[in-house]
């Protein structure tokens, strides 16, 4: 998933704006670099793809930011963010009146996360 795709998807959920989503994308990319995953100078351009692990880390960060003051466990905060993101894909399935509908796993499985 590219920077633009991630930012637009997060914006479309209403969890945060594109500028904040881009910061999350860059933070998880930087986190991988800090763990010894080598990245070149173009690491933060739109051609760089977010791995699935980075996507999950980004969702966790968003959940903690969005629901940080709401109380509850870490798992609950992350779960809320995942639910909102998954609802975006569920709504896309309903938009075509069920024709050619895919499950969330089918949609996310075909993404380059």
């Amino acid at each position: 998933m590219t920077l633009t795709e991630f930012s637009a998807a997060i914006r479309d959920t209403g969890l945060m704006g594109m500028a904040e989503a881009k910061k999350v994308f860059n933070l998880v990319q930087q986190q991988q670099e800090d763990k010894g995953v080598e990245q070149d100078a173009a690491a933060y351009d739109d051609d760089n793809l977010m791995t699935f692990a980075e996507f999950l880390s980004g969702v966790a960060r968003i959940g903690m930011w969005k629901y940080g003051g709401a109380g509850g466990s870490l798992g609950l905060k992350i779960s809320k963010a995942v639910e909102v993101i998954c609802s975006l894909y569920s709504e896309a399935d309903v938009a075509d009146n069920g024709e050619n509908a895919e499950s969330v796993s089918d949609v996310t499985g075909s993404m380059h996360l």
Side-chain angles (χ1 to χ4, degrees), residues 29-91:
Q29 294 280 308
Q30 181 66 41
Q31 180 183 9
Q32 291 300 316
E33 184 178 290
D34 292 344
K35 289 183 177 180
V37 177
E38 194 172 314
Q39 296 183 351
D40 60 19
Y44 306 117
D45 70 20
D46 199 46
D47 292 331
N48 192 40
L49 296 178
M50 178 180 258
T51 66
F52 185 67
E54 291 168 339
F55 176 77
L56 293 177
S57 177
V59 170
R61 286 174 183 267
I62 292 167
M64 290 301 298
W65 172 81
K66 180 74 174 179
Y67 304 109
S73 69
L74 171 65
L76 179 62
K77 294 170 186 177
I78 294 170
S79 177
K80 286 181 181 181
V82 169
E83 185 177 317
V84 170
I85 291 168
C86 288
S87 72
L88 177 67
Y89 296 105
S90 296
E91 290 169 12

